[in-house]
Amino acid sequence: MNPMRPSSPSNPVGLSGPAPASSLTAARRARELAGLAAGEQVDVLVVGLGATGAGAALDAASRGLSVAAIDAHDLAFGTSRWSSKLIHGGLRYLASGQLDVAYESAVERGALMERTAPHLVRAQPFVLPLTPLVSRGQAALAWSGFRAGDALRLSARTARATLPAPRRLSAVETRHLAPALRTAGLRGGLLSWDGQLADDARLVTAIARTAAAHGARVLTRVRAVSLDGSGAVVRDELTGEEHTIRARAVVNASGVWAGGLVDGVRLRPSRGTHLVLRSDGLGDLPAGLHIPVPGQSNRFVLVLPQGDGRVYVGLTDEPVDGAVPDVPEVPEVPETDIGFLLDVLGTALDVPVHRGDVVGAFAGLRPLLDTSADGSGSTADISRKHAVLTSAEGVVTVVGGKLTTYRRMAQDAVDAAVASRGLGAGPCRTMSLPLVGAAAPHVLSGLKAPRRLVRRYGTEAPAVHGLGAADPALREPVVPGHPVTRAELVWAVRHEGAVDTGDLLDRRTRVGLVPADREAALKAAEEALAGA
């Protein structure tokens, strides 16, 4: 079978047709949770529905195993929605000597861009401006790194058509791609390419729905109260009722919360902060920017245009001490992080960016495995290589890693669960298994739907767009000047498991990254939930 041909469970449907097998609905949740509460045993229970947990559910289900996957909150509630929205090729890890992590990243990037999620991941150009603060030696080092990154692309067998070659830019070309740059002393720039996600939370939603299409029971608002190798005691957060889920194997993929469920898992979370700016404040940005952090040879602040009137600026890497926040809290953004990012921006941009221009900010906690003797040292120096640990009770925990390598992390976790519990399972299929909405580029380009919807929904874009054709009120944007429409909120309730306004505004769409926009869109979200 052509790996880029959408499989029948995920094919889009007409407005009056039956819901596809990938749809996550309130009725499906109630039915599947009731079956588990009645004593039905599954082969694999996955705890956590971020990218890795959803990936483990898909991996196990596509091997023919029966699966239940639960999360105390929502899809992509934790770290998986706070990333830079990039699918990295591993250049940073190559520079630090982590060759295995770099190669793994490049391989996984190629799989996402060419086989599993070409609708969600596209090539993004980046310019590193050669300002007076970038010495010729630093520029030569960066150029060598970009050439090495291109060699990684080649070794991962990612086509040149997917990721173009890096090249040097004149000062005029650099200004054309980044008009906001300061011209004084600008010698030119270095152009490189990487993968950019339409949205990290949308990737998790697609993974989870693909798992559901293969029979996995994907259950949000189900909290694991306790775990052991034979299952979990869980609580339905919507009703308060407690149940026992019986399983032959258990995978703990709860990220920064993993250590709270299994003894012996030592994590040292790292905080990555991003700012949200309005695009009109920086002007047209055809490319992203790598702005070198003064005084550091291999650290950059990224300027990431999103195509929705917003620009993200990040990224910090600071150790986090104390308890990991839970709902309703999210990781706080310290003023020191905001000040640091604005200061670095100010070294390269002609347009001043002030504190008042920051319309939103977000921070994510990376679940890094602490391998130090005393928990000291910089989190920037901790390896991003993931680890799979099996407890004395038989619970398999997967930690570390990063968004780009979620699929490999999931594969390794399921491999460990299958081996330790003697499960009869087929080989891993996810390297070439298309996610919901995926199709070959020529198919995606021929869809009769707005390009923005195609980049977020793939082959389902015509069905989302069709909601507005059936009801013109659904064509309206949820916030003036923002592209998200009411139809997208309705689709999220009907097919993507959204159960409250936070699901709609903070994860299925990213309207909520700007508090003022979130407040303005709240009524539309409430109406979508009530109407569905």
Side-chain angles (χ1 to χ4, degrees):
M1 186 179 80
N2 183 345
M4 285 314 307
R5 179 181 178 184
S7 57
S8 56
S10 60
N11 281 343
V13 295
L15 299 178
S16 60
S22 64
S23 290
L24 301 176
T25 65
R28 178 174 184 167
R29 176 189 182 278
R31 180 177 67 253
E32 292 179 341
L33 182 56
L36 294 168
E40 182 181 348
Q41 186 180 41
V42 293
D43 293 320
V44 180
L45 169 64
V46 179
V47 180
L49 281 167
T52 304
L58 172 57
D59 186 290
S62 63
R63 297 190 197 200
L65 299 172
S66 59
V67 177
I70 64 174
D71 195 287
H73 308 301
D74 183 28
L75 304 176
F77 181 83
T79 304
S80 292
R81 63 168 158 146
W82 301 127
S83 77
S84 297
K85 318 297 181 280
L86 293 177
I87 298 299
H88 287 292
L91 181 59
R92 173 180 176 181
Y93 313 108
L94 192 66
S96 61
Q98 300 178 56
L99 302 184
D100 53 346
V101 179
Y103 177 72
E104 183 176 84
S105 298
V107 168
E108 296 301 326
R109 178 184 63 181
L112 280 161
M113 297 187 76
E114 296 185 336
R115 295 186 292 280
T116 63
H119 58 311
L120 296 176
V121 188
R122 62 183 177 86
Q124 170 67 42
F126 284 93
V127 172
L128 193 164
L130 301 179
T131 69
L133 292 178
V134 181
S135 70
R136 296 190 182 278
Q138 288 174 314
L141 184 64
W143 177 244
S144 296
F146 293 147
R147 293 291 301 271
D150 193 52
L152 269 180
R153 174 207 59 78
L154 179 64
S155 68
R157 299 184 179 181
T158 302
R160 169 69 72 216
T162 302
L163 284 168
R167 68 181 183 92
R168 300 177 187 271
L169 301 172
S170 68
V172 172
E173 290 174 313
T174 301
R175 280 280 293 174
H176 176 73
L177 289 173
L181 287 172
R182 188 177 299 127
T183 56
L186 184 67
R187 307 192 304 273
L190 303 178
L191 178 68
S192 61
W193 297 79
D194 217 336
Q196 182 178 42
L197 271 170
D199 190 327
D200 46 11
R202 292 219 59 80
L203 173 66
V204 177
T205 300
I207 300 167
R209 289 187 56 208
T210 309
H214 284 82
R217 302 157 179 84
V218 177
L219 306 170
T220 61
R221 273 42 177 222
V222 177
R223 180 184 295 274
V225 178
S226 62
L227 293 181
D228 60 32
S230 62
V233 175
V234 304
R235 181 171 64 244
D236 183 348
E237 296 289 79
L238 299 182
T239 66
E241 297 177 350
E242 291 197 356
H243 311 287
T244 297
I245 296 180
R246 299 169 57 238
R248 296 178 179 87
V250 177
V251 174
N252 175 19
S254 52
V256 291
W257 295 280
L261 291 172
V262 176
D263 292 335
V265 177
R266 284 180 49 193
L267 297 178
R268 190 143 189 263
S270 164
R271 182 184 64 247
T273 294
H274 294 79
L275 311 181
V276 184
L277 309 175
R278 300 287 190 193
S279 297
D280 52 13
L282 295 177
D284 184 37
L285 280 175
L289 295 175
H290 286 127
I291 301 181
V293 176
Q296 300 189 37
S297 61
N298 190 39
R299 191 177 177 195
F300 304 90
V301 163
L302 305 181
V303 179
L304 306 161
Q306 298 301 301
D308 61 357
R310 298 172 178 177
V311 175
Y312 301 157
V313 177
L315 170 76
T316 62
D317 195 332
E318 300 295 332
V320 175
D321 298 317
V324 176
D326 196 10
V327 70
E329 296 180 275
V330 296
E332 294 184 358
V333 176
E335 284 295 325
T336 52
D337 284 9
I338 296 174
F340 164 77
L341 293 170
L342 290 177
D343 286 346
V344 176
L345 271 187
T347 67
L349 298 189
D350 195 34
V351 180
V353 181
H354 303 295
R355 179 63 179 86
D357 298 317
V358 179
V359 295
F362 60 92
L365 300 182
R366 307 177 186 91
L368 304 181
L369 186 65
D370 189 359
T371 56
S372 64
D374 58 0
S376 63
S378 169
T379 51
D381 296 328
I382 298 178
S383 173
R384 266 47 175 182
K385 187 174 180 61
H386 64 273
V388 176
L389 314 170
T390 302
S391 71
E393 295 78 22
V395 176
V396 173
T397 297
V398 55
V399 291
K402 51 202 171 64
L403 182 67
T404 302
T405 59
Y406 85 87
R407 190 212 62 81
R408 183 52 190 265
M409 294 169 67
Q411 176 185 341
D412 290 350
V414 174
D415 281 347
V418 168
S420 66
R421 309 306 268 187
L423 302 179
C428 176
R429 299 175 52 206
T430 54
M431 179 58 88
S432 59
L433 186 66
L435 302 181
V436 165
H442 73 277
V443 175
L444 295 173
S445 64
L447 294 174
K448 295 182 178 179
R451 292 301 93 190
R452 190 191 74 86
L453 291 183
V454 174
R455 288 193 294 268
R456 296 176 64 81
Y457 298 91
T459 56
E460 292 188 323
V464 179
H465 187 56
L467 292 173
D471 181 354
L474 297 182
R475 301 177 194 167
E476 298 296 321
V478 298
V479 178
H482 195 278
V484 171
T485 66
R486 290 172 178 261
E488 293 173 72
L489 302 185
V490 171
W491 181 267
V493 177
R494 292 183 181 178
H495 299 288
E496 296 180 344
V499 301
D500 66 17
T501 56
D503 294 355
L504 291 175
L505 300 179
D506 300 330
R507 289 170 289 280
R508 303 306 179 277
T509 69
R510 306 315 292 274
V511 173
L513 286 177
V514 176
D517 290 350
R518 192 185 198 285
E519 182 65 25
L522 199 56
K523 183 178 179 182
E526 291 169 344
E527 290 173 351
L529 290 164

